Amino acid sequence: MFNAQLNALQHPLTLIGRWLLALLFLPAGISKLTGFAGTVGYIASAGLPFPTLGALVAIAVEIGAGLALIVGFQTRIAALILALFTLVASFFFHPYWAVPADQQFITQLLFFKNIAVVGGLLTLTAWGAGAWSLDARRKG
């Protein structure tokens, strides 16, 4: 009986899950766009090459794939791109193993939060957007 109730919630929970994941990326992409110079400076401070290009890629990924998750368009691809982006960014921007001991707790927390988000995105990659999505409408 409990499984039947959970099955009845599958569509709304999948939609809410996509929206909550997008909530992490879309505002971040918009803030990178509106604070472009600061974003470029932050990327440069991490020692990455081509910080302007990196900022443009980050904006495109976070806004584009974030919007794709919201509407459920090409969701598996968008989720996989976001998962890879988040995984790579975690190593460059939350290297808890390389910060002073008094900064490790927060940096490690942010790193593993990102790893958990990658897990959620990989699940979305595996299972797709669900019935309440543009992906499902295109199939039907």
Side-chain angles (χ1 to χ4, degrees), residues 41-118:
Y42 182 61
I43 292 170
S45 75
L48 295 174
F50 312 110
T52 301
L53 178 61
L56 291 171
V57 168
I59 290 166
V61 167
E62 289 180 331
I63 293 176
L67 288 171
L69 291 187
I70 289 170
V71 299
F73 177 73
Q74 295 291 321
T75 306
R76 289 179 160 179
I77 294 168
L80 183 59
I81 289 168
L82 284 169
L84 294 172
F85 171 82
T86 302
L87 183 64
V88 170
S90 298
F91 283 94
F92 286 105
F93 296 103
H94 302 299
Y96 68 91
W97 53 88
V99 298
D102 63 332
Q103 297 175 15
Q104 276 189 340
F105 177 76
I106 296 298
T107 309
Q108 185 176 21
L109 184 69
L110 292 170
F111 178 86
F112 282 106
K113 180 260 318 167
N114 279 3
I115 298 304
V117 168
V118 169

Side-chain angles (χ1 to χ4, degrees), residues 5-18:
Q5 291 168 327
L6 286 178
N7 286 342
L9 293 174
Q10 183 178 9
H11 302 318
L13 289 176
T14 304
L15 176 66
I16 292 166
R18 286 195 340 256

